[in-house]
Amino acid sequence: MIKKMLFLGALAIFSVGCKSPKPITQQAPKPEKNKSDLKEYSQVITSEAKSDEGLFTTHFVGDKLYFEIPVNLFDKDMLLVSRIAGIPSGFGGGYVNAGSKVNEQVVRWVKRNGNIDMKVISFENQSDEESPIYKSVQANNFFPILFSTEIKTWSKDSCSVVIDASGLFENEVDAINGISANLRKRYKVKKLDKSRSYIESANSYPENIEIKHVMTYEADSPPERDQAGTISMLLNQSMILLPENKMQPRLADPRVGWFTINKYDYNSEELKADDYEIIRRWQLVPKDIEAYKRGELVEPVDPIVYYLDPATPEKWRPYFKQGIEDWNVAFEAAGFKNAIIAKDPPSKEEDPEFSPEDVRYSVVRYVASTTRNAVGPSVTDPRTGEIIESDIIWYHNHLRSYRNRFMIEAGAQNPNARTLNTPEAEIGEMMRMVIAHEVGHALGLPHNMKASSAYPTDSLRSAEFTQKYGLTPSIMDYARVNYVAQPGDDGVRYIRMMGPYDLYAINWGYRYLPEANSAREEKETLDKWILEKAGDPVYEFGNGYSGADPQSQRESLGDDQVKASAYGIANLKKVVPNLVEWTSKDGYGYDDLAEVYRELGYMWRGYISHVITNVGGVYETRKTADQSGLVYEPVPEKIQKQAVEFLNKEAFTTPDWMLNQKLLGRIDASEAIDRIQGFQSKALENLLEKDRLKRMVLNNEMNANDTYTVTEMMKDIREGVFSELYNSQETDAYRRNLQRSFVDVAASYLNELEERKNDEVLKSDIMALMRGELNKLRSDLSKRKNSVNHELTRYHWKDLIARIDLATGTDA
């Protein structure tokens, strides 16, 4: 009853006179069937129809799905969001989960004589409707038709048309398809099997329609062998009515991290189409604007409300609520109080038709799944950037990720981490901060991987500092556990929390500016706020995507990656001997031990990677033309040399501490050893990858007097990796594998010359560098190949000579 009342209220807005709005594009008239030529309404929508009223009414008649669309919804902007609701095991290699978004596009239902078309609308290219160029923009951005069907009948009051919408969901429509082109190729998908594809459900709400449909594809190589040569998946299509009253957009600035939408303005005074971005954010307007202007905290007209999923376990609900409402501190910095509210799911008595599918409700969904993740997606109006709705997804097995990480990274320092039954206070705090992180995404904030580098590394060993400032200035950084803290650093904080950058970013994006009548008028104020914080690393932003800035990396802590990784590895060395005791349980095997040990190896690999990024690294400080100083600066020579010294010691030396026989004797030792060898080889390949070498060559030319040259780096690595050769010592299996990797990586560049695979590399100094290094190494091997009595070592060095000869085309 509540839902129908709300539906009727929403419909009243559009139904005065039942007149269809004037079409945006006038078309030449064509003959159209008279309404009398169509079937009667009762002949199409029979007494057996299962109907649901809402934005427009859906009807199931047998296996057909009909939409009854009010004429006043023609030419209205609706957002069509396509998601995967159910997938087979192993689909996408574990990188695609239920809830993953496939596509998001604006559509309009348009009447074309006796047909109804669904058109895809773009707002990327814009122009003032009164401008002469407007017609050209329209003509050069003609909207495609996604779906078209005949009108089957009219409602009795002639206020709605009825169409058969089955074909949109039962046929393969690329724009809402759940299988990407790459996955089609990977699984050798042949075609859609219509006999096993069908519409499962259709639900209508006051502001959205939700359709679930099963799509079954014939495939020669499905993700799991037992899938009978098919891939079946459940898709969810959401059709959401966009607001009539458009929010004023806010221009994005790359110096402050926000999810954005690209735009092109053809009315720009620039001698080109002005490309710009707007940020994604909820619309918050103060109830009392005058009080807001006076600096008082004011509640918003429409606060952001998140409901907990009814499936959320009672014990975790307080932590989820705290994680949501933690953001009120940031919104207070923007002048709002009670801006975000967490609520328990309503009872049947409070709201008998409450549904997480209803776009009016944003929900933190608790999903019973083995997926170890949490995500914070949102639905955004592409016209203005207004976030309309959001569903945070917590997958149950994400608890496992944090349980393991806490043991691995804090077990050496914190007694509470030395168990797989992590105490509720600790695991609850971790869940709280994960939810806060995902809510941050849903508020419009992307990852800020640069934030953690604002704090001195050793400050993370201070109880006073970490309890006040946390591990990083932003909850949006990946800095989950304090691995820098050492045994004896009593009272330190181990779990991340919200920081000053988060308050700054929310104020910048959500502060209501009543005096500004356009996004352009806001820019001066927004720029002023950025310049006030310029030069303070606490307020800098970096997404970490470039891979070149060592200060902008996931899971990194502190401003000194070499020192932080040294602390982290020191802790791992203390954890490994205790893992059997900490993970064992009477009457059970060693699966948990194997899992934690495997993930410990990944942590070690991550610490090594943090250090590698300093070599040939470039610091990025985002600036505009009115700010002094450079945007890109190479990492100082001293730091790069320290990084290579660290790598020779911790990455390229056999990690005996990982080869704990008490531990390996209880799991698959050969797999563990192969993994360690793989980590070392991958670290070397990463260090010698082409983009890093190109940056070092460029830096040599631009900063000749204060640069760690690429030839110095290669010499230091070669002498480290082949230290046994230069010290007349025998090599073990790990070192032999690493030394072969060095030759293979260098040789792979020369192979590109023969195969003409990469002109960019062929024309660079990398070819000469690698040829020179191989020739130097060959000379050294030839001189010293018989300097040890260890026969396998001598064979190994002679084999390397043969490999180098093959790569360089040298006659033996």
Side-chain angles (χ1 to χ4, degrees):
M1 187 65 177
I2 292 174
K3 175 178 163 185
K4 288 185 178 179
M5 290 174 64
L6 288 167
F7 155 68
L8 292 172
L11 186 59
I13 297 173
F14 300 108
S15 59
V16 178
C18 295
K19 294 180 180 179
S20 176
K22 183 180 178 181
I24 289 178
T25 304
Q26 297 291 341
Q27 300 186 19
K30 292 184 180 180
E32 178 179 349
K33 287 183 180 180
N34 293 321
K35 292 180 183 178
S36 59
D37 295 332
L38 300 174
K39 288 184 177 181
E40 293 290 334
Y41 181 88
S42 60
Q43 292 177 301
V44 179
I45 308 302
T46 67
S47 59
E48 297 178 354
K50 297 178 181 177
S51 305
D52 193 20
E53 294 181 348
L55 179 63
F56 47 79
T57 305
T58 62
H59 305 279
F60 267 117
V61 181
D63 59 356
K64 288 187 177 294
L65 174 62
Y66 292 95
F67 285 169
E68 185 173 336
I69 307 175
V71 296
N72 282 322
L73 288 181
F74 291 162
D75 297 309
K76 297 294 183 182
D77 293 334
M78 299 184 185
L79 193 65
L80 178 58
V81 183
S82 305
R83 293 189 182 92
I84 296 173
I87 54 173
S89 175
F91 185 81
Y95 293 98
V96 179
N97 299 312
S100 297
K101 190 184 297 183
V102 174
N103 200 359
E104 188 173 291
Q105 54 202 319
V106 176
V107 297
R108 289 179 189 154
W109 293 98
V110 178
K111 183 177 178 295
R112 176 174 54 88
N113 304 307
N115 288 62
I116 300 297
D117 298 335
M118 178 196 279
K119 290 190 172 185
V120 178
I121 311 300
S122 172
F123 295 95
E124 184 177 53
N125 299 300
Q126 296 185 326
S127 172
D128 187 337
E129 292 187 17
E130 304 302 321
S131 168
I133 202 173
Y134 176 72
K135 290 183 179 179
S136 179
V137 172
Q138 294 294 98
N140 287 282
N141 292 275
F142 191 76
F143 301 140
I145 298 173
L146 181 66
F147 174 71
S148 183
T149 187
E150 293 182 345
I151 297 173
K152 295 298 183 184
T153 188
W154 286 77
S155 63
K156 294 177 183 179
D157 60 5
S158 296
C159 285
S160 303
V161 298
V162 176
I163 62 171
D164 181 355
S166 307
L168 178 59
F169 308 107
E170 292 178 342
N171 295 313
E172 190 169 12
V173 179
D174 287 343
I176 60 174
N177 189 8
I179 302 184
S180 66
N182 287 337
L183 290 179
R184 290 182 71 94
K185 184 176 180 181
R186 176 175 173 180
Y187 297 132
K188 298 181 180 178
V189 174
K190 293 186 288 188
K191 65 177 181 178
L192 179 72
D193 184 346
K194 290 190 177 182
S195 68
R196 289 178 281 183
S197 302
Y198 56 90
I199 301 169
E200 182 176 274
S201 64
N203 293 292
S204 189
Y205 302 96
E207 298 173 11
N208 62 299
I209 307 292
E210 300 294 321
I211 310 295
K212 284 188 169 65
H213 58 116
V214 173
M215 304 290 277
T216 298
Y217 299 88
E218 295 179 9
D220 288 337
S221 301
E224 299 288 345
R225 291 183 180 179
D226 59 358
Q227 290 172 0
T230 62
I231 299 174
S232 290
M233 60 197 318
L234 180 64
L235 294 177
N236 187 93
Q237 310 294 342
S238 301
M239 196 175 306
I240 303 162
L241 182 66
L242 292 176
E244 283 286 300
N245 297 320
K246 297 178 184 178
M247 180 185 76
Q248 180 169 292
R250 178 154 294 180
L251 296 177
D253 191 300
R255 295 170 292 180
V256 188
W258 284 86
F259 291 128
T260 62
I261 297 172
N262 293 327
K263 298 283 186 180
Y264 293 90
D265 181 8
Y266 284 87
N267 285 114
S268 169
E269 295 297 323
E270 302 289 335
L271 300 180
K272 64 180 180 64
D274 187 7
D275 55 312
Y276 64 98
E277 295 176 319
I278 59 175
I279 68 172
R280 300 173 185 255
R281 58 179 181 148
W282 298 78
Q283 182 170 195
L284 292 185
V285 178
K287 286 182 178 179
D288 186 338
I289 292 179
E290 293 305 316
Y292 189 86
K293 288 180 180 179
R294 293 194 298 268
E296 299 175 26
L297 291 179
V298 177
E299 291 185 344
V301 174
D302 294 306
I304 303 164
V305 180
Y306 276 98
Y307 289 86
L308 299 191
D309 190 327
T312 308
E314 292 284 350
K315 68 185 294 186
W316 302 132
R317 291 187 181 190
Y319 301 106
F320 278 32
K321 285 183 177 179
Q322 284 180 305
I324 295 166
E325 295 188 345
D326 279 342
W327 283 98
N328 274 318
V329 175
F331 280 113
E332 287 174 5
F336 292 101
K337 67 178 179 181
N338 302 323
I340 186 165
I341 302 168
K343 292 185 176 183
D344 284 316
S347 65
K348 285 290 185 183
E349 293 73 27
E350 293 170 327
D351 188 347
E353 298 193 29
F354 169 80
S355 170
E357 304 292 343
D358 191 331
V359 75
R360 294 171 300 148
Y361 301 106
S362 292
V363 179
V364 179
R365 302 197 187 203
Y366 197 100
V367 180
S369 168
T370 57
T371 298
R372 294 168 63 173
N373 198 13
V375 294
S378 59
V379 174
T380 305
D381 184 344
R383 304 169 305 176
T384 63
E386 179 182 356
I387 297 174
I388 299 168
E389 178 266 352
S390 155
D391 285 334
I392 309 300
I393 302 176
W394 171 278
Y395 297 97
H396 178 76
N397 252 27
H398 207 30
L399 289 164
R400 187 176 185 173
S401 300
Y402 280 85
R403 174 199 74 173
N404 293 356
R405 180 178 285 274
F406 191 48
M407 174 181 284
I408 293 165
E409 295 196 303
Q413 318 95 291
N414 189 337
N416 290 331
R418 297 167 189 169
T419 173
L420 290 177
N421 295 314
T422 311
E424 182 179 328
E426 279 77 12
I427 199 70
E429 180 71 1
M430 290 180 227
M431 294 178 76
R432 170 187 177 182
M433 294 307 163
V434 174
I435 292 298
H437 177 95
E438 301 306 337
V439 169
H441 285 320
L443 295 176
L445 302 181
H447 291 130
N448 182 4
M449 301 303 187
K450 197 175 185 69
S452 57
S453 65
Y455 291 164
T457 299
D458 279 324
S459 68
L460 303 181
R461 299 185 59 186
S462 163
E464 181 181 1
F465 183 92
T466 55
Q467 294 297 345
K468 183 176 181 179
Y469 298 109
L471 312 187
T472 165
S474 177
I475 191 74
M476 304 314 298
D477 201 343
Y478 272 176
R480 293 175 244 237
V481 176
N482 187 352
Y483 60 79
V484 167
Q486 297 295 291
D489 294 342
D490 297 332
V492 298
R493 182 176 177 86
Y494 284 94
I495 311 303
R496 60 182 167 174
M497 68 183 202
M498 198 165 294
Y501 172 85
D502 302 312
L503 278 60
Y504 162 71
I506 290 295
N507 177 69
W508 190 91
Y510 279 97
R511 170 71 62 172
Y512 188 70
L513 299 174
E515 305 302 329
N517 295 315
S518 70
R520 296 290 178 188
E521 289 183 17
E522 293 182 338
K523 192 174 187 311
E524 182 178 351
T525 299
L526 298 175
D527 287 349
K528 177 184 175 184
W529 292 342
I530 294 174
L531 293 175
E532 287 174 352
K533 303 295 186 183
D536 187 339
V538 166
Y539 301 102
E540 289 185 6
F541 171 73
N543 55 30
Y545 294 151
S546 73
D549 185 354
Q551 303 285 42
S552 187
Q553 302 188 76
R554 58 192 300 163
E555 309 294 354
S556 179
L557 286 177
D559 63 348
D560 186 333
Q561 295 75 44
V562 176
K563 180 182 287 188
S565 291
Y567 282 139
I569 291 176
N571 286 331
L572 297 186
K573 290 177 179 179
K574 296 179 178 68
V575 167
V576 168
N578 294 289
L579 283 183
V580 174
E581 177 187 348
W582 293 350
T583 61
S584 297
K585 186 177 181 180
D586 291 348
Y588 291 86
Y590 293 103
D591 289 347
D592 284 330
L593 172 64
E595 177 178 294
V596 173
Y597 179 73
R598 180 173 61 251
E599 293 180 21
L600 184 144
Y602 297 148
M603 305 292 179
W604 173 54
R605 180 181 64 181
Y607 300 156
I608 297 299
S609 179
H610 294 161
V611 175
I612 290 174
T613 309
N614 283 275
V615 183
V618 178
Y619 297 143
E620 179 189 29
T621 305
R622 299 185 178 205
K623 297 180 179 181
T624 51
D626 55 322
Q627 292 178 265
S628 61
L630 300 176
V631 174
Y632 301 102
E633 296 182 272
V635 173
E637 176 184 10
K638 179 181 178 181
I639 294 176
Q640 295 195 53
K641 286 184 70 67
Q642 288 175 343
V644 171
E645 290 171 5
F646 175 92
L647 294 171
N648 278 329
K649 177 184 177 183
E650 297 292 354
F652 302 143
T653 300
T654 302
D656 294 325
W657 59 274
M658 286 276 285
L659 305 174
N660 184 289
Q661 294 307 307
K662 174 185 171 184
L663 187 157
L664 294 179
R666 288 171 166 81
I667 62 175
D668 186 342
S670 61
E671 179 184 337
I673 291 170
D674 288 344
R675 192 180 303 114
I676 291 171
Q677 289 182 325
F679 287 164
Q680 289 187 302
S681 295
K682 287 294 183 182
L684 185 60
E685 291 174 16
N686 184 4
L687 185 61
L688 299 181
E689 59 96 17
K690 69 177 188 310
D691 287 340
R692 188 181 320 283
L693 297 178
K694 285 166 56 182
R695 287 195 300 270
M696 294 191 77
V697 170
L698 179 63
N699 287 338
N700 288 354
E701 300 296 327
M702 297 177 62
N703 304 278
N705 296 325
D706 184 25
T707 302
Y708 185 45
T709 67
V710 69
T711 52
E712 286 180 291
M713 185 266 285
M714 290 300 298
K715 177 177 181 292
D716 290 342
I717 296 171
R718 173 168 38 81
E719 292 181 351
V721 170
F722 291 91
S723 61
E724 296 90 345
L725 176 69
Y726 296 109
N727 293 301
S728 299
Q729 297 171 337
E730 66 182 63
T731 59
D732 63 25
Y734 293 93
R735 295 284 289 177
R736 292 196 295 272
N737 179 70
L738 186 66
Q739 290 167 6
R740 281 189 289 268
S741 294
F742 181 94
V743 172
D744 290 346
V745 171
S748 69
Y749 285 106
L750 301 189
N751 291 339
E752 292 190 4
L753 179 61
E754 182 178 341
E755 299 174 15
R756 301 292 301 179
K757 287 194 301 186
N758 189 330
D759 284 342
E760 184 182 11
V761 172
L762 301 183
K763 295 175 182 178
S764 73
D765 288 328
I766 297 175
M767 305 299 292
L769 176 69
M770 290 304 171
R771 189 182 299 278
E773 281 298 315
L774 287 175
N775 286 335
K776 171 61 177 171
L777 178 59
R778 188 193 189 285
S779 174
D780 292 341
L781 285 166
S782 297
K783 294 174 184 176
R784 297 174 170 83
K785 63 180 182 291
N786 296 316
S787 61
V788 295
N789 293 325
H790 189 249
E791 191 169 27
L792 192 52
T793 296
R794 295 201 305 271
Y795 288 164
H796 165 65
W797 287 343
K798 290 176 182 178
D799 174 66
L800 292 182
I801 292 173
R803 289 173 184 244
I804 293 171
D805 287 343
L806 182 63
T808 59
T810 303
D811 292 332

